[in-house]
Amino acid sequence: MPDSIPVRTRFAPSPTGSLHIGGLRTALFNWLFARHHHGQFILRIEDTDQKRYDPNALQTLIEALRWAGVDWDEGPDIGGPFAPYVQSERLDLYQQWANWLVEHGKAYRSYETAEELEQMRKGQEQRKEQPGYNRAHRSLTPEQRAAYEAEGRAYVVRFAMPLEGQTTVRDLVQGEVTFDNAVQQDMVLLKSDGFPTYHLAHVIDDHLMEISHVMRAAEWLPSLPLHVQLWQAFGWKMPEYAHLPVMLNPNGKGKMSKRNPPKDARGNVIPVLVHDYMNAGYLPEAMDNFLTNIGWNFGDEREVFSMAEAIERFDTDRINAANSAFPPEKLDWLNGVYIRDMDDVELARRLRQPLEAAGFEVNVDTLLRVVPIVKTRIKTLNDVVSMAGFFFRETFLPAAPEQIIQKKMDAASTVQTLQAAVAVLAGIDEADFVTQTLYDAVQPLTETLGISNGQLFGALRVAVTGQTVSTPTFESMEIIGKDETLRRLKQATALVSAKL
RNA sequence: GGCCCUAUCGUCUAGCGGUCUAGGACGUGGCCCUUUCAAGGCCAAAACACGGGUUCGAGUCCCGUUAGGGUCACCA
């Protein structure tokens, strides 16, 4: 289904730090939309605020997007027909068009100093007036202007917003939105340092880069009338706008932000940056699926789907206009789903990193054998460390004797149990040291010892793994091997004996 | 406070006038399985904010109220 106008969307973050989780969702939606319509997705860097510029941010940003599997057709790293894709390298363009607006009476130079503006705001506050620029320099006489110029004053270029009438836009998500022009501000388009503000830069770039659809967070909705008027002032064809619902804190109070860190139901801090999720062991597949499900719905009552499937049916008509709270439990659940569904070899590959980061030397053969018994037990990749890290520990860390002793047992009965198990296990050939054989050999001991499976297996499990919460007993023994299993059981016997 | 947006289970959502005694998912509770922890299976509790209209008929359309959110910079 060929579209009449080629779809071109963009993600235009400002490089002020690592990518915000909400930013990733915005990127994802733009990307999904472009891919669905067989169009292009562009990455553009909006570094027009010199005060907030972070030189490492671009790299981090790219890293996060790549991690999530978002790819772009044009961007600062790969160039493209409308390069450069970094706004600080396009300054002359913005200045040129700002001048054009001034020359055509659509904008004007404003010479107030920061202090003067501060004064004005204070006055407004005292008089309990609505804050905003008073348009003092909107109609300066040529003489006044010349005087300020002669003074050598710096100036900003402000947009001359229409003073009456209304601005109505049909937003793809929000529907028809109408604003009174009279309450709008004469916003700054070009700052005194020669850099453009977002308002000016995005309109010029979206025009020049032939962007067809602007999908951005609903936080931008209040400045939409300004943008619409800017498009009209330039006489350019406006792209479609789609304002995405804002992602709110898990409790629904306020949007997710770095200041004011969100918390989950138990009071744990919820990370806001994509890198935090990367480091916490979340899978990009799960993260993408999760984020795509907030504010958009796959349909058919399906919640688990790949990005390839999402691309097939992604469109703006299923985007919800209502804001939504960030559901952290759902992310954990989804991540678990993806871990369980993953091929063992692939999962092993991904488990390696967190294991090594925890200081373990990873034996790949062992890891491959461990994967099947951990995959249903972990929610994040990092969970493997606490659940199965012991398989890779250089020297075994035995559990405390109290932990080896099971419910309704004492040191004496535990020692008796461990010794009985050692006797049985010692008689099994190394080649037969596999789960089922071990189970069949050991289980009958419950009869002779008069204890339950739970007591028997529990004692052995804690003795052999060193953990009260761990992978299952016999599976773990098989991986650990006969010699080491026996050694650990004897060590545990000694440990508990000391309690007699 | 002004302006704008939104309003279905605790949460993410389905629902686009009759098929809604409102569906799915997460979470929660219970049961089963069980060797810890999970996973898995089964079951349960849980919502159309309120008030007016429109209509034969409203969760679905309109208005108001209330509530929540966003935004009011030479930041994006």
Side-chain angles (χ1 to χ4, degrees):
Chain A
M1 34 124 233
D3 299 293
S4 47
I5 317 149
V7 167
R8 288 173 56 83
T9 63
R10 44 65 164 187
F11 177 54
S14 64
T16 54
S18 178
L19 184 56
H20 186 281
I21 186 98
L24 178 55
R25 190 189 59 149
T26 302
L28 235 21
F29 276 36
N30 275 284
W31 175 77
L32 251 12
F33 184 77
R35 292 290 172 256
H36 172 79
H37 290 282
H38 307 288
Q40 286 99 47
F41 174 67
I42 288 101
L43 176 63
R44 184 174 73 215
I45 303 303
E46 312 218 325
D47 57 342
T48 57
D49 186 357
Q50 291 179 295
K51 292 187 285 292
R52 298 204 305 164
Y53 181 68
D54 173 356
N56 298 319
L58 176 58
Q59 212 33 56
T60 325
L61 211 57
I62 288 180
E63 196 176 276
L65 289 171
R66 290 229 175 97
W67 173 80
V70 172
D71 61 330
W72 44 99
D73 305 293
E74 299 165 29
D77 54 335
I78 54 174
F82 303 100
Y85 293 89
V86 177
Q87 291 187 327
S88 61
E89 295 169 21
R90 302 167 65 82
L91 260 29
D92 51 336
L93 230 37
Y94 309 124
Q95 287 160 4
Q96 179 189 320
W97 283 107
N99 286 337
W100 185 92
L101 286 173
V102 171
E103 282 159 22
H104 289 75
K106 312 281 192 184
Y108 59 94
R109 291 178 180 177
S110 189
Y111 298 87
E112 289 94 343
T113 62
E115 295 72 44
E116 286 168 342
L117 289 175
E118 188 53 36
Q119 279 286 298
M120 178 201 72
R121 264 189 278 272
K122 272 193 188 140
Q124 288 168 334
E125 205 173 309
Q126 278 165 9
R127 280 171 267 127
K128 299 214 157 93
E129 295 171 0
Q130 289 299 322
Y133 178 58
N134 60 14
R135 296 184 163 122
H137 288 195
R138 178 158 170 159
S139 44
L140 250 29
T141 63
E143 292 73 31
Q144 288 172 308
R145 229 187 318 272
Y148 280 128
E149 297 278 356
E151 228 181 280
R153 280 217 195 194
Y155 62 83
V156 298
V157 173
R158 284 181 185 275
F159 187 61
M161 189 71 191
L163 270 10
E164 48 194 37
Q166 295 187 318
T167 302
T168 297
V169 209
R170 176 156 222 95
D171 183 274
L172 257 21
V173 173
Q174 310 287 339
E176 199 172 89
V177 195
T178 300
F179 304 84
D180 279 325
N181 294 336
V183 299
Q184 305 303 318
Q185 300 284 316
D186 283 0
M187 294 300 286
V188 171
L189 300 179
L190 197 69
K191 303 181 241 185
S192 54
D193 63 3
F195 277 66
T197 58
Y198 169 83
H199 310 297
L200 209 225
H202 103 272
V203 167
I204 292 175
D205 286 347
D206 285 343
H207 170 67
L208 262 22
M209 295 180 182
E210 297 174 7
I211 299 302
S212 65
H213 298 260
V214 174
M215 303 177 76
R216 42 137 75 154
E219 294 144 33
W220 291 106
L221 213 45
S223 52
L224 186 54
L226 164 66
H227 301 155
V228 171
Q229 290 299 332
L230 259 173
W231 285 101
Q232 287 178 5
F234 280 125
W236 294 336
K237 184 178 182 302
M238 191 172 80
E240 298 283 354
Y241 277 96
H243 286 88
L244 276 19
V246 177
M247 271 212 294
L248 271 22
N249 280 330
N251 63 8
K253 302 276 180 206
K255 62 174 179 176
M256 298 261 287
S257 71
K258 288 165 246 187
R259 327 161 29 98
N260 232 336
K263 300 207 172 118
D264 69 9
R266 278 184 238 86
N268 301 316
V269 172
I270 307 285
V272 170
L273 302 179
V274 176
H275 268 83
D276 293 333
Y277 288 92
M278 293 166 67
N279 296 333
Y282 287 92
L283 298 170
E285 298 90 327
M287 183 57 86
D288 288 350
N289 190 159
F290 169 72
L291 253 19
T292 307
N293 254 332
I294 301 177
W296 183 74
N297 186 269
F298 189 83
D300 298 344
E301 301 197 329
R302 269 190 67 190
E303 315 241 334
V304 182
F305 51 83
S306 67
M307 287 303 98
E309 290 173 306
I311 286 171
E312 281 179 42
R313 53 170 82 187
F314 190 89
D315 219 327
T316 51
D317 54 358
R318 292 190 79 83
I319 298 178
N320 205 147
N323 293 166
S324 44
F326 184 87
E329 322 76 28
K330 217 151 182 169
L331 206 212
D332 285 343
W333 164 73
L334 250 185
N335 208 56
V337 168
Y338 276 85
I339 285 175
R340 275 172 253 133
D341 284 355
M342 191 172 285
D343 171 76
D344 287 356
V345 176
E346 175 61 16
L347 183 55
R349 199 179 66 73
R350 303 210 202 187
L351 252 18
R352 214 186 152 129
Q353 198 276 327
L355 246 11
E356 287 178 345
F360 295 117
E361 183 140 349
V362 178
N363 176 300
V364 179
D365 292 331
T366 304
L367 180 55
L368 243 19
R369 300 174 73 191
V370 167
V371 165
I373 59 173
V374 281
K375 74 192 300 186
T376 60
R377 299 181 158 76
I378 54 176
K379 280 214 162 17
T380 67
L381 260 22
N382 292 11
D383 288 343
V384 73
V385 174
S386 59
M387 182 58 71
F390 68 88
F391 282 110
F392 307 96
R393 209 181 286 283
E394 198 103 16
T395 48
F396 178 59
L397 223 65
E402 298 76 35
Q403 294 178 317
I404 300 172
I405 299 169
Q406 299 296 294
K407 268 188 205 137
K408 294 182 184 160
M409 286 183 76
D410 55 18
S413 59
T414 300
V415 168
Q416 189 187 15
T417 300
L418 293 171
Q419 284 172 336
V422 168
V424 170
L425 292 168
I428 299 174
D429 269 4
E430 179 131 25
D432 291 332
F433 214 76
V434 295
T435 302
Q436 192 58 50
T437 307
L438 298 175
Y439 179 91
D440 292 343
V442 170
Q443 202 281 331
L445 288 177
T446 56
E447 197 82 21
T448 53
L449 295 168
I451 57 176
S452 69
N453 278 359
Q455 290 173 313
L456 207 212
F457 301 166
L460 296 180
R461 198 171 43 70
V462 178
V464 168
T465 66
Q467 304 184 169
T468 53
V469 173
S470 81
T471 47
T473 307
F474 300 109
E475 283 83 346
S476 302
M477 284 183 174
E478 178 182 331
I479 294 170
I480 290 165
K482 180 178 175 183
D483 290 351
E484 180 63 14
T485 296
L486 288 176
R487 198 188 67 74
R488 292 183 186 185
L489 287 174
K490 285 172 190 162
Q491 185 180 7
T493 309
L495 244 33
V496 178
S497 295
K499 287 286 180 183
L500 282 170

